[in-house]
């Protein structure tokens, strides 16, 4: 039997569109057992509706790696325990891809390095902001170069609390990307480059006061606000009630707020109230940055 644990992730962190991300201590687990017949079992809070046939993303990813490694696909029973909510901006698809790669690589005798797994994950996911922290853990910067994705871990862990507020509806990444303009104003590009630099400095120096200004964005959040009622108001209210910084998590609809633990209750209450005012049920709970990415237990 083999078991792997894969963290949830949050991408962009405001201005770091498609390049900044972090791992969170909320996990999916993949268990593989030898079997006379192939099957997938589902468990966990968010298993409803996931495919149990060969179209399952974890299994498709495992087949992808085995094909590259020239390794035959074994008959196994996969048990997928899903605690990461799907289509909420917390990296559920990245967790499936990274988890599938890590498990398949281990079963094949580990022919590929962690960096090689990252390139495969980026190829499958299409952008590296979530798959990088899912694989490496911590707060990460993913730089796409001519040779592939260059991963940088800005910090492995932190004492900062990460409040996630999850509205009760799904929002696919593809739908969320369709509202983005294909062209970017140069002033907005400069604004985001400068502010992403502040976010990076905040985590390198543990100077979280920089996040209030640093997490401002001009490339995606305003355009996506129409898809998440109350988005701008909720982010502003988080700052007014003590959060260091707040942003849309990935493509949404989850919102992220960095704060010290004593502000958790106030920030949580104001964000939930804002969503309720806009007719949305939501749940909010504090998490921590996970120092470990996907790993075999």
């Amino acid at each position: 039997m083999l078991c792997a644990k894969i963290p949830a992730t949050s991408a962009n962190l405001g201005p770091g569109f498609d390049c900044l991300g972090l791992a969170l201590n909320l996990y999916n687990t993949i268990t593989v057992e030898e079997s006379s017949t192939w099957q997938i079992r589902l468990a966990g809070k968010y298993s409803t509706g996931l495919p149990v046939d060969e179209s399952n993303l974890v299994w498709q990813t495992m087949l992808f790696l085995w094909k590259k490694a020239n390794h035959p696909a074994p008959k196994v029973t996969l048990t997928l325990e899903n605690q990461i909510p799907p289509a909420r901006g917390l990296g559920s698809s990245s967790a499936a891809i990274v988890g599938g790669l890590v498990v398949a690589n281990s079963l094949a005798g580990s022919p590929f390095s962690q960096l090689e797994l990252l390139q495969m994950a980026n190829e499958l996911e299409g952008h590296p902001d979530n798959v990088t922290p899912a694989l490496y853990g911590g707060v990460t910067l993913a730089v796409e170069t001519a040779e592939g994705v260059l991963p940088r871990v800005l910090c492995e862990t932190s004492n900062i609390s990460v409040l996630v507020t999850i509205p009760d509806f799904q929002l696919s990444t593809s739908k969320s990307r369709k509202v983005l303009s294909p062209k970017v104003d140069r002033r907005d590009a400069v604004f985001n480059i400068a502010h992403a630099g502040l976010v990076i400095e905040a985590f390198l120096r543990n100077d979280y006061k920089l996040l209030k200004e640093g997490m401002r964005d001009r490339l995606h959040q305003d355009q996506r606000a129409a898809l998440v009622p109350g988005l701008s108001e909720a982010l502003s209210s988080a700052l007014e009630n003590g959060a260091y910084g707040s942003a849309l998590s990935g493509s949404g609809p989850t919102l992220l707020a960095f704060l010290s633990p004593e502000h958790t209750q106030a920030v949580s209450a104001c964000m939930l109230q804002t969503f309720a005012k806009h007719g949305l049920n939501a749940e909010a709970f504090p998490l921590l940055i996970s120092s470990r990415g996907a790993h075999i237990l």
Side-chain angles (χ1 to χ4, degrees):
M1 186 174 77
L2 181 147
C3 188
K5 196 174 180 181
I6 311 98
T9 53
S10 180
N12 302 328
L13 308 186
F17 186 73
D18 276 5
C19 62
L20 288 177
L22 56 78
L24 294 163
N25 66 335
L26 177 69
Y27 304 95
N28 282 356
T29 304
I30 301 172
T31 304
V32 186
E33 299 171 271
E34 289 185 11
S35 177
S36 57
T37 57
W38 179 90
Q39 64 176 317
I40 292 179
R41 297 172 178 163
L42 299 178
K45 185 177 179 180
Y46 297 102
S47 58
T48 304
L50 294 178
V52 293
D53 59 15
E54 293 200 1
S55 68
N56 184 279
L57 182 56
V58 172
W59 180 248
Q60 284 294 313
T61 303
M62 293 171 72
L63 293 175
F64 175 85
L65 183 140
W66 287 331
K67 184 176 180 181
K68 282 186 176 289
N70 245 351
H71 188 275
K75 285 184 179 178
V76 294
T77 293
L78 283 183
T79 301
L80 309 179
E81 183 177 344
N82 296 285
Q83 301 298 337
I84 303 171
R88 297 297 208 287
L90 288 171
S92 60
S93 64
S94 291
I97 289 169
V98 168
L101 291 173
V102 167
V103 166
N105 192 50
S106 181
L107 290 172
S110 300
F112 299 110
S113 68
Q114 188 180 38
L115 185 60
E116 289 171 322
L117 293 181
L118 176 61
Q119 311 313 317
M120 293 183 211
N122 185 49
E123 179 183 347
L124 292 170
E125 178 76 331
H127 43 92
D129 47 352
N130 282 105
V131 294
T132 304
L135 194 56
Y136 285 81
V139 181
T140 61
L141 169 66
V143 183
E144 296 201 67
T145 73
E147 290 76 34
V149 180
L150 173 64
R152 306 301 299 165
V153 178
L154 304 175
C155 76
E156 291 184 355
T157 188
S158 167
N159 58 5
I160 196 171
S161 185
V162 187
L163 182 75
V164 294
T165 303
I166 309 174
D168 190 19
F169 71 95
Q170 295 187 346
L171 178 59
S172 69
T173 301
S174 58
K175 181 179 179 180
S176 191
R177 281 182 176 267
K178 283 179 182 177
V179 302
L180 302 182
S181 171
K183 294 183 179 180
V184 174
D185 185 282
R186 182 181 298 172
R187 289 167 297 183
D188 292 339
V190 172
F191 180 95
N192 270 50
I193 292 168
H195 283 70
L198 280 181
V199 174
I200 291 170
E201 184 181 2
F203 285 103
L204 287 176
R205 298 180 181 272
N206 297 322
D207 187 358
Y208 303 123
K209 293 176 184 175
L210 295 174
L211 293 175
K212 183 173 183 179
E213 178 65 32
M215 292 183 76
R216 293 175 62 199
D217 163 79
R218 288 186 182 174
L219 295 188
H220 67 102
Q221 286 191 166
D222 287 346
Q223 295 93 314
R224 287 167 164 168
L227 302 176
V228 185
L231 168 64
S232 299
E233 186 181 342
L235 295 180
S236 296
S237 68
L239 298 179
E240 292 165 4
N241 282 273
Y244 290 118
S246 59
L248 187 66
S249 179
S251 58
T254 295
L255 303 188
L256 197 73
F258 294 105
L259 38 75
S260 55
E262 63 265 25
H263 290 115
T264 298
Q265 187 173 352
V267 174
S268 173
C270 74
M271 296 182 90
L272 293 175
Q273 287 167 8
T274 300
F275 279 130
K277 188 168 70 174
H278 289 268
L280 289 174
N281 291 323
E283 61 176 332
F285 50 89
L287 296 171
L288 295 172
I289 295 169
S290 174
S291 61
R292 295 194 72 180
H295 58 282
I296 303 297
L297 295 173

